[in-house]
Amino acid sequence: MAITISVLDQSPIYPGETAEEAFRHTIRLAQLSEQLGFRRFWVSEHHDSEQVAGSSPEVLISHLLAKTERIRIGSGGIMLQHYSPYKVAENFNVLASLAPGRVDLGVGRAPGGLPRSTQALQQGKADSPSLTDKIIELEKYVHSRLEEDHPLAGLKAGPIPGTAPELYVLGASVSSAEIAAELGLPYVFSLFINGDRSVALEAIRAYRSGFVSAEGREPQAIIALALIAAETEEEAKELAGAHKLIRITLAGGKTLTVATREQAEEFARQSQEAYTIEEREPEVTKGTKASVREQLLALSEASGVEEFIVTTNVQPFDKRLRSFELLSEALAEVTAEA
């Protein structure tokens, strides 16, 4: 089975570095991804964070499109719960008009930050529609398909590009897979967030079995995962470090996965609810290019997924670049063997 690689970059700000340096690294990684022949390069949305610079993916996407020539550029993802679907469609139609056929619109379910930033982003908003309803509305605007009996019939999210941005549903649960299937949209399971391969496989199965085809669409499932390729197994383990995934569950039932216990405790403090915290080992595909290749092939065979969106959050930056170079070499060897 042929494997396609895409890249997700979160513009991490490492200790001693600035946001400016983080963005320069993102630009360089996007250009390398294009040189290596990867399919797409996505950037994330995080708010009120000293560790991540990417708070406005639309702005960053525009810059990356200007700094590259062929690779698809997109969001991984836009946190739609905060925004008007109409305005999101306008933003991405502008991008798709600037770079025809190169823009992806990934939509996420998470808040992208702690309760304080969510409150700021949603200031003045009354109760909003469900995320599913917002995605439906967004797709209508992106493709200019408002029904004649829609309250805003005739409204266009201008400009209307020759090629619309491609819409993807992002998630880390079976329920998110079911939403994507019900809407007949491509689906990305975030294994690097959920960390449970059995849930990933169940979500992919649920997505395929429940997929509602419209206008000739076929299910398109992608897995997003953390990956580190290095010259030796020992170096890969060292680069991976001793990171943990921290899952916080509030008394009201809301859950969130964060990188540190401090972030989890701050989330609970801002939420003003009782909570529990669970530490998990992160799911990281790591090793030499040979072992990484075998791990990807095994996951591809188990899931039937042919495209992986890879995030590699390691320092120093040259090791991050080298990881992607080794990954490209590994997959080139698979092609040569085939």
Side-chain angles (χ1 to χ4, degrees):
M1 180 180 291
I3 290 178
T4 297
I5 294 297
S6 296
V7 177
L8 168 66
D9 189 63
Q10 298 175 317
S11 302
I13 306 173
Y14 294 125
E17 294 183 346
T18 64
E20 289 85 351
E21 290 173 297
F23 284 134
R24 285 199 294 270
H25 290 162
T26 294
I27 295 165
R28 177 69 189 96
L29 186 54
Q31 292 169 334
L32 177 67
S33 297
E34 182 170 75
Q35 293 165 13
L36 295 175
F38 296 154
R39 176 171 292 175
R40 62 185 97 241
F41 187 91
W42 285 4
V43 293
S44 61
E45 177 181 337
H46 292 88
H47 301 286
D48 193 24
S49 172
E50 296 180 357
Q51 290 79 41
V52 182
S55 58
S56 180
E58 304 97 324
V59 175
L60 184 52
I61 288 167
S62 180
H63 190 70
L64 293 174
L65 287 167
K67 293 292 185 179
T68 55
E69 297 179 357
R70 300 174 305 279
I71 192 170
R72 298 189 67 88
I73 305 290
S75 57
I78 296 295
M79 301 297 110
L80 189 58
Q81 63 169 288
H82 303 313
Y83 309 122
S84 154
Y86 180 70
K87 186 56 183 174
V88 173
E90 284 189 325
N91 286 340
F92 276 81
N93 279 351
V94 168
L95 293 170
S97 298
L98 290 168
R102 293 183 57 205
V103 176
D104 293 335
L105 171 48
V107 176
R109 305 178 72 196
L114 303 185
R116 180 173 56 196
S117 61
T118 294
Q119 182 180 355
L121 287 162
Q122 299 183 4
Q123 188 172 9
K125 290 178 60 176
D127 292 339
S128 62
S130 70
L131 181 65
T132 300
D133 288 339
K134 280 194 162 189
I135 296 173
I136 292 171
E137 194 87 348
L138 176 60
E139 186 180 25
K140 289 177 182 178
Y141 287 131
V142 165
H143 294 286
S144 297
R145 293 175 182 161
L146 285 186
E147 303 91 338
E148 291 184 1
D149 60 351
H150 191 281
L152 299 175
L155 177 65
K156 304 291 185 182
I160 307 302
T163 302
E166 292 189 6
L167 185 58
Y168 294 78
V169 175
L170 282 56
S173 64
V174 175
S175 61
S176 63
E178 291 171 343
I179 290 174
E182 177 187 348
L183 300 179
L185 292 172
Y187 176 64
V188 182
F189 183 92
S190 298
L191 182 58
F192 71 95
I193 293 176
N194 180 283
D196 189 328
R197 289 200 177 202
S198 64
V199 175
L201 297 178
E202 182 183 354
I204 298 298
R205 286 194 295 268
Y207 170 69
R208 290 202 178 102
S209 64
F211 188 83
V212 178
S213 180
E215 300 178 5
R217 293 177 182 168
E218 297 292 334
Q220 179 187 350
I222 301 172
I223 293 177
L225 49 79
L227 183 147
I228 301 170
E231 306 293 347
T232 66
E233 296 287 341
E234 292 72 21
E235 183 186 13
K237 291 178 182 178
E238 182 180 346
L239 289 170
H243 299 297
K244 300 286 185 181
L245 286 179
I246 311 298
R247 184 178 179 86
I248 179 171
T249 302
L250 300 179
K254 181 180 293 185
T255 63
L256 186 76
T257 299
V258 295
T260 67
R261 179 173 285 270
E262 289 75 18
Q263 287 176 319
E265 291 171 347
E266 179 62 17
F267 184 91
R269 187 189 70 79
Q270 292 182 23
S271 299
Q272 299 182 332
E273 292 186 45
Y275 65 94
T276 58
I277 288 178
E278 176 189 3
E279 287 192 1
R280 296 181 176 183
E281 290 294 329
E283 173 67 35
V284 181
T285 300
K286 59 183 179 293
T288 63
K289 64 181 182 181
S291 62
V292 162
R293 178 180 65 235
E294 293 308 312
Q295 292 173 69
L296 286 180
L297 287 171
L299 182 55
S300 179
E301 183 175 354
S303 64
V305 168
E306 297 182 358
E307 181 176 354
F308 296 99
I309 297 181
V310 172
T311 182
T312 302
N313 191 354
V314 300
Q315 57 176 321
F317 181 59
D318 62 342
K319 295 294 185 182
R320 198 152 137 227
L321 294 177
R322 183 57 181 154
S323 177
F324 283 106
E325 291 171 344
L326 290 169
L327 176 59
S328 177
E329 292 172 11
L331 296 179
E333 292 173 6
V334 171
T335 302
E337 290 171 4

